[in-house]
Amino acid sequence: MIKQWADRFFKWFCHPDYYPDIMGDLEETYQDRLELEDHLAQWKHLIGILQLFRPSLMRPLIKLKIENGMLTNYFKISIRSLAKQRLYSIINVVGLAIGLAAFLLINEYIQFEKSYDRFFTDSNQIYRLTTDDVKDGVIGTRDAMSYHPSGKVLTEELPEVENYTTTYKFSEVIFRHKSITRSEKMIIAADSNYFKIFDYLLIKGDPETALNEPNSIVLTESKALAYFGDIDPVGKQIEVLSGYNRPFKVTGVMEDVPENTHYKFNMLVSLKSIQERLDRDDWGGFNYYTFLKLTRNSDLDELNKKLSPLAKKYIGENSNQEFNLQPLESIHLYSDFTFEPEIHGNHKAVSFLVIISIFVLIIAWVNYVNLSTARAIDRAKEVGLRKVIGAYRNQLIYQFLIESLIINFIGSVLAVLIAELALPYFNGLLDKQIAVHVWNQKTFLITTLIFFVAGTFVSGLYPALVLSSFQPVTVLKGKFRNSKQGALLRKFLVTVQFAVSIVLIAGTLIVGQQVKYMKSEDLGFDINHVVGFTTPRVNSDQREAREQKMKLFHEDLKSHHTIVQVGGTSSMPGGGSSDIASSSGGVKIVGMTERLDGTVYLQWNDDSFTKTMGMGFVAGRDFKRELASDSIAIIVNETFLDRLGINDYSTVLGEFVQFGRSPENDKFKIVGVLQNFNRTSLKNSVEPTCYFYNTGSRNTVVKLDENAFMDGLAYIEESWKKFFGDAPLDIQFLDRRFEQLYKEDRRFGNVFGSFSLLAILVAILGLFGLSSFIAVQRTKEVGVRKVLGASIGNIISLFYKDFMLLIGSSSLIGFPVVYFVMNKWLSNYAYRIDFPWWLLLLAFFIISVFALITVGYQTSKVASLDPAKTLKYE
């Protein structure tokens, strides 16, 4: 398709005398590339033809009434004119290049973010089955997970559902092959339908049967290399520890999972390998990610109407839970459900970046328009003479459009070069590789071509119309002056540039303040010099032995002088939504409250966890190891009681919490009310949580002496080897875990700030050129003022006055925009800063300083000239 279009274009513009020979050479080169299996052959063919688009090879373009000789003349004159005004040409080229490069890079990132999960065949027919908690028609908690049997029953019950796959995400699994023992965290279990829904390429093995049998595993290419080297792993065995303690057979090797999917993994085990868990959960726990493939042209509205009755049928008539279908393609940017498999993207952040990229490009185009129209006096005599010797207005328009074309062409080529050089830094800024090179990205090249053409007309048409409209009689009599309308337009455009700059600076500062606030705000506990790690999983029949080993391990750690405190927990602080258990079957305090429907979060701690983390109680006490009755004790947090409508927390001590709907369910005695703390990001409010007593939790947190921190880490490793042998130890610093939760926000702030600086740089570049030209135009005025006694300071202040009025006007536009946009952005956070009005003033001050330095530098050069020379010919 691309080649056909390129060939037609070449035939249209190429002179008939040259066409056969050149086309023959092009076709021969294209066929050679095809033989070499060059996937970019068509694009290279197109680029080669674009390179031949030059006057010497063109046929007479009758429709434009431009002869070859005339067109050649236009190019020559344009190049001479641009060379004559080198400073302004360089400013225009550099401004356009930076603006377009920034726009193209941001656009590449936006396309990458929007490409998530779209590479699957029929991705628009794939939906994730999620679980909503609905009470009185109002949706409360929305969970990304579903029940294990739900995919199967919906496929059987609904003709619109073509197929399904059910998966389970492990928190951590330890693998061993010969001398290699590793802890892997990106592991999922999947049923035999998985490759029918997600058509990943299997390099080795059969996708139809690879996940059919228990104890089967499919490795990604990188993991196959890590464990087996160059040996073909299919048919070989790899030992799975973490409570399984049995070999798994490698049944396939698949391509590495790309970055642009929301559900990443390094290994796939067959779902039948965890049959015991499946049988235990059944319809009692929604801990699985289920995906449905709908038939083509399914009516989604009609299908959704059928889901509620099915939820009642299978989950229970009294349940508040509802099935929900979420398009696969929208998960990354538009999903904010609990228990997402990874930290998701943000469509609002992407929209912000779209606005920034357009701002940068508009500023660059505005610079061109400003400088071109400001030079009207210099070009006026040229236009007058051309008209006197017979030039038509449309010919002059072609002349100035060709100047714009040359500037935009050079700017576009330079933009591609800048983008290619900046790409590694940009990838680092985003913490993901959106591309290796820009020149082999189709969307990048197409966008460059589109905006080269668009830029030629958008930035060049108005100056061409203005410059070609001058009257020769007025011009040649020396009576021409820049029009008031032109001056007003330039002032308006400069005001827009300043307004945009204020918005970008203020926005960058506000994003930085919010991220800083979240990182520094009191979490409700102390994470300084605290580390955490996870102990190996064991089989259910080994739990008592593991509990005894954990007790001895903790006592050994506590005995060392570098360790302040040790605690155990099921959910290590600083995790995501999937790092904690939950219950949605309803909960109440017996005899005190009605049943609370909705998600309640569950955590198991030992009697030292709260001490290790420095947490406080608002009522009651912590668990006590010596009290046997604490095996059925429970601690709740403030938010849990707030949800139940209890204000006096001390009144619940000694009362019993009961989960579920059956009056026969176990009851747990409340012994304490824990002060609220933020287990996860401050983007979310504190979760209603219940804490149970357990001395065998797999996660351990250790508070180290800050004066002997490294010695403490060394002793943890020594003690670990004593109790857990060769099992891998993965020590995590809790402060770093919390920093990771703000990775997306920090990334957004970095990108926002970097490209805001580029936009401001382009604006200042344009202001430099404009102020320079205005200063030169007013040289004689400055000379007269100096003769009449004005000092250099007086003259500079006169210029400052004009520009400060423009900056003041820009703040009237920029301030309301900043408030509306950034206040809306801040509303996404449960814990946020108050809108910082002082940052608006700081943004105003920063742009004023930049502008005044630029204008002052140019003005002082003119103001320093000897008036005897500037007024010599007056």
Side-chain angles (χ1 to χ4, degrees):
M1 188 69 170
I2 296 167
K3 182 179 181 298
Q4 291 174 359
W5 180 87
D7 288 346
R8 278 195 228 109
F9 176 63
F10 182 64
K11 189 174 182 179
W12 172 77
F13 78 76
C14 186
H15 197 287
D17 293 344
Y18 312 136
Y19 177 76
D21 293 336
I22 298 176
M23 191 63 208
D25 292 340
L26 287 170
E27 187 63 34
E28 186 179 344
T29 303
Y30 175 71
Q31 293 301 327
D32 290 342
R33 288 181 180 137
L34 287 182
E35 290 178 10
L36 294 171
E37 297 184 357
D38 188 343
H39 299 298
L40 296 174
Q42 294 194 56
W43 287 101
K44 291 179 179 177
H45 185 72
L46 171 61
I47 292 169
I49 285 174
L50 291 174
Q51 290 171 340
L52 295 171
F53 185 61
R54 51 180 181 257
S56 59
L57 295 178
M58 285 184 178
R59 68 164 70 231
L61 303 179
I62 298 170
K63 291 183 180 180
L64 295 176
K65 297 181 182 179
I66 304 176
E67 298 292 338
N68 271 348
M70 182 66 78
L71 189 61
T72 304
N73 186 53
Y74 289 159
F75 272 96
K76 286 180 179 177
I77 292 171
S78 297
I79 292 169
R80 287 171 184 168
S81 176
L82 295 173
K84 184 180 177 182
Q85 299 287 344
R86 290 187 188 88
L87 175 64
Y88 307 112
S89 299
I90 290 171
I91 288 172
N92 278 327
V93 167
V94 173
L96 287 169
I98 294 174
L100 185 57
F103 175 84
L104 291 170
L105 281 175
I106 294 177
N107 187 70
E108 195 68 18
Y109 169 63
I110 291 165
Q111 294 304 317
F112 177 82
E113 287 290 288
K114 290 181 177 179
S115 72
Y116 265 66
D117 297 312
R118 294 176 186 266
F119 55 86
F120 297 114
T121 302
D122 301 326
S123 61
N124 60 335
Q125 294 174 238
I126 303 173
Y127 289 75
R128 183 172 68 180
L129 183 66
T130 61
T131 308
D132 289 349
D133 188 80
V134 183
K135 186 175 182 182
D136 299 327
V138 179
I139 297 176
T141 304
R142 313 196 74 178
D143 199 303
M145 291 183 172
S146 55
Y147 294 92
H148 158 242
S150 55
K152 184 174 184 294
V153 300
L154 291 183
T155 305
E156 293 171 349
E157 296 266 7
L158 300 171
E160 295 93 338
V161 181
E162 185 178 296
N163 207 342
Y164 78 95
T165 185
T166 302
T167 69
Y168 175 81
K169 186 175 186 295
F170 295 94
S171 58
E172 182 184 39
V173 179
I174 298 174
F175 292 87
R176 182 166 61 200
H177 177 67
K178 294 183 178 178
S179 61
I180 302 172
T181 303
R182 292 183 180 177
S183 174
E184 304 282 0
K185 294 187 176 180
M186 295 175 64
I187 312 297
I188 66 173
D191 61 21
S192 56
N193 290 332
Y194 187 80
F195 290 115
K196 297 174 185 175
I197 303 295
F198 301 106
D199 52 345
Y200 286 111
L201 173 67
L202 248 69
I203 301 166
K204 295 174 183 175
D206 183 359
E208 294 288 331
T209 60
L211 296 171
N212 282 358
E213 300 299 325
N215 305 330
S216 300
I217 186 168
V218 175
L219 307 178
T220 55
E221 195 173 8
S222 59
K223 287 302 173 184
L225 184 65
Y227 283 95
F228 293 91
D230 296 329
I231 300 172
D232 182 358
V234 175
K236 305 287 192 302
Q237 292 186 335
I238 183 170
E239 192 175 359
V240 181
L241 306 179
S242 302
Y244 297 95
N245 300 323
R246 58 181 182 264
F248 276 52
K249 181 181 178 181
V250 179
T251 55
V253 177
M254 60 175 285
E255 62 182 341
D256 284 346
V257 176
E259 176 70 28
N260 56 335
T261 177
H262 82 284
Y263 199 14
K264 299 179 182 66
F265 58 89
N266 289 324
M267 301 181 186
L268 279 174
V269 301
S270 58
L271 195 66
K272 289 181 180 178
S273 305
I274 58 168
Q275 190 62 48
E276 183 183 341
R277 176 185 289 275
L278 301 179
D279 295 338
R280 184 173 66 247
D281 284 345
D282 197 46
W283 287 102
F286 47 106
N287 303 309
Y288 304 86
Y289 296 103
T290 303
F291 299 89
L292 308 178
K293 184 176 182 180
L294 306 187
T295 56
R296 201 173 296 279
N297 301 320
S298 295
D299 189 331
L300 200 58
D301 292 333
E302 288 299 316
L303 180 57
N304 282 326
K305 292 176 184 177
K306 301 177 184 179
L307 293 178
S308 184
L310 289 173
K312 297 293 182 187
K313 178 180 177 180
Y314 289 100
I315 302 175
E317 284 292 333
N318 298 322
S319 173
N320 292 326
Q321 292 167 3
E322 299 277 359
F323 293 136
N324 176 55
L325 292 179
Q326 187 180 22
L328 176 71
E329 294 178 352
S330 71
I331 292 174
H332 175 65
L333 287 180
Y334 294 91
S335 181
D336 58 352
F337 293 7
T338 57
F339 293 95
E340 289 287 353
E342 71 173 14
I343 298 173
H344 52 78
N346 188 329
H347 72 281
K348 291 182 179 178
V350 170
S351 299
F352 271 106
L353 293 178
V354 170
I355 294 170
I356 291 174
S357 67
I358 293 172
F359 277 175
V360 176
L361 199 57
I362 287 174
I363 288 174
W365 285 342
V366 164
N367 283 348
Y368 184 88
V369 173
N370 268 344
L371 287 176
S372 297
T373 54
R375 291 174 56 208
I377 290 179
D378 281 2
R379 304 300 296 271
K381 288 185 179 180
E382 174 193 339
V383 171
L385 286 170
R386 284 175 174 274
K387 284 191 172 183
V388 166
I389 61 176
Y392 294 103
R393 187 182 182 192
N394 63 335
Q395 292 174 320
L396 293 169
I397 290 174
Y398 296 150
Q399 169 70 65
F400 294 122
L401 280 176
I402 286 173
E403 286 187 20
S404 176
L405 182 144
I406 292 171
I407 289 284
N408 277 273
F409 177 76
I410 298 171
S412 298
V413 172
L414 191 57
V416 173
L417 179 61
I418 291 171
E420 177 68 20
L421 294 174
L423 187 60
Y425 167 76
F426 190 53
N427 286 335
L429 202 65
L430 298 171
D431 197 25
K432 57 175 72 175
Q433 191 171 61
I434 61 170
V436 179
H437 299 287
V438 296
W439 49 263
N440 60 2
Q441 300 293 310
K442 292 181 183 179
T443 54
F444 185 92
L445 296 175
I446 291 171
T447 308
T448 304
L449 186 61
I450 290 170
F451 279 89
F452 156 59
V453 176
T456 298
F457 287 96
V458 170
S459 62
L461 192 57
Y462 177 75
L465 292 172
V466 170
L467 295 171
S468 64
S469 65
F470 298 155
Q471 297 301 315
V473 175
T474 306
V475 169
L476 297 177
K477 284 184 176 180
K479 296 181 179 179
F480 174 80
R481 293 289 183 272
N482 270 328
S483 66
K484 289 183 179 179
Q485 292 88 345
L488 286 173
L489 175 66
R490 283 192 296 279
K491 287 180 179 179
F492 170 74
L493 293 176
V494 170
T495 301
V496 170
Q497 283 187 321
F498 283 143
V500 169
S501 299
I502 287 173
V503 171
L504 294 176
I505 292 173
T508 301
L509 294 173
I510 291 171
V511 171
Q513 281 291 111
Q514 175 62 22
V515 173
K516 181 181 177 182
Y517 167 79
M518 290 189 297
K519 289 172 66 176
S520 61
E521 181 66 3
D522 182 15
L523 297 168
F525 55 86
D526 183 16
I527 58 175
N528 292 319
H529 306 102
V530 179
V531 298
F533 45 87
T534 304
T535 52
R537 190 186 297 272
V538 297
N539 293 329
S540 56
D541 59 352
Q542 299 175 316
R543 286 177 182 168
E544 286 188 17
R546 199 273 298 274
E547 191 170 328
Q548 183 61 29
K549 181 185 282 190
M550 289 292 294
K551 179 181 177 182
L552 294 173
F553 175 53
H554 285 190
E555 287 176 356
D556 183 65
L557 291 177
K558 289 178 184 177
S559 68
H560 199 263
H561 68 279
T562 62
I563 294 174
V564 178
Q565 190 59 263
V566 180
T569 180
S570 63
S571 179
M572 198 183 302
S577 61
S578 59
D579 285 356
I580 190 170
S582 66
S583 170
S584 299
V587 63
K588 67 179 179 180
I589 298 179
V590 180
M592 286 190 71
T593 70
E594 297 295 321
R595 188 178 71 243
L596 172 69
D597 290 311
T599 300
V600 174
Y601 294 85
L602 313 176
Q603 187 170 326
W604 285 262
N605 302 329
D606 66 9
D607 55 322
S608 298
F609 174 71
T610 58
K611 300 183 189 73
T612 305
M613 300 305 302
M615 297 174 180
F617 283 80
V618 293
R621 61 173 175 82
D622 200 348
F623 297 120
K624 291 183 178 179
R625 189 182 292 258
E626 60 271 17
L627 293 178
S629 59
D630 272 9
S631 61
I632 57 167
I634 193 172
I635 294 171
V636 297
N637 69 350
E638 295 174 273
T639 300
F640 174 80
L641 296 179
D642 293 341
R643 293 281 179 91
L644 288 169
I646 295 174
N647 298 319
D648 187 352
Y649 301 147
S650 61
T651 59
V652 303
L653 298 177
E655 302 295 336
F656 289 84
V657 172
Q658 187 178 46
F659 293 88
R661 293 172 174 80
S662 172
E664 303 302 317
N665 287 350
D666 292 338
K667 301 179 181 69
F668 300 88
K669 184 178 180 181
I670 301 174
V671 298
V673 179
L674 193 62
Q675 183 180 340
N676 277 343
F677 68 91
N678 288 87
R679 179 190 65 84
T680 185
S681 163
L682 285 176
K683 288 187 284 189
N684 308 316
S685 54
V686 175
E687 304 150 333
T689 310
C690 296
Y691 306 92
F692 300 90
Y693 182 55
N694 183 11
T695 57
S697 297
R698 292 183 62 222
N699 293 306
T700 297
V701 289
V702 180
K703 177 77 172 179
L704 297 169
D705 185 342
E706 62 180 294
N707 297 316
F709 189 74
M710 298 308 296
D711 291 340
L713 290 178
Y715 188 75
I716 291 174
E717 292 183 8
E718 181 182 327
S719 181
W720 176 272
K721 288 179 181 178
K722 187 193 309 180
F723 285 92
F724 300 106
D726 295 330
L729 171 62
D730 180 20
I731 295 179
Q732 300 180 55
F733 301 89
L734 293 200
D735 53 353
R736 294 181 188 173
R737 275 177 64 88
F738 274 93
E739 280 188 17
Q740 281 295 105
L741 295 175
Y742 304 117
K743 183 169 69 175
E744 284 291 330
D745 303 277
R746 194 166 57 249
R747 177 188 298 161
F748 173 62
N750 291 340
V751 174
F752 196 121
S754 297
F755 285 95
S756 295
L757 285 174
L758 281 180
I760 295 161
L761 173 63
V762 174
I764 294 300
L765 203 60
L767 183 62
F768 178 84
L770 186 62
S771 59
S772 172
F773 202 86
I774 291 173
V776 171
Q777 282 188 331
R778 296 176 69 176
T779 300
K780 289 185 174 62
E781 175 194 338
V782 170
V784 172
R785 289 182 179 277
K786 287 189 74 174
V787 168
L788 295 175
S791 65
I792 293 177
N794 295 143
I795 294 167
I796 292 175
S797 64
L798 185 67
F799 278 74
Y800 276 174
K801 179 184 175 183
D802 293 340
F803 281 97
M804 285 307 296
L805 286 172
L806 298 180
I807 297 173
S809 301
S810 68
S811 65
L812 298 178
I813 301 171
F815 285 3
V817 173
V818 174
Y819 177 76
F820 174 78
V821 173
M822 297 310 299
N823 205 43
K824 189 174 181 181
W825 179 76
L826 287 170
S827 66
N828 294 319
Y829 295 86
Y831 298 88
R832 49 159 287 184
I833 58 174
D834 294 327
F835 188 83
W837 293 100
W838 66 275
L839 287 180
L840 295 183
L841 298 177
L842 180 58
F844 177 83
F845 174 76
I846 291 171
I847 198 64
S848 298
V849 169
F850 276 129
L852 295 181
I853 290 173
T854 305
V855 173
Y857 172 74
Q858 296 291 0
T859 307
S860 63
K861 283 177 23 179
V862 174
S864 301
L865 294 175
D866 186 349
K869 293 180 180 179
T870 58
L871 301 176
K872 183 176 180 181
Y873 299 104
E874 291 299 312

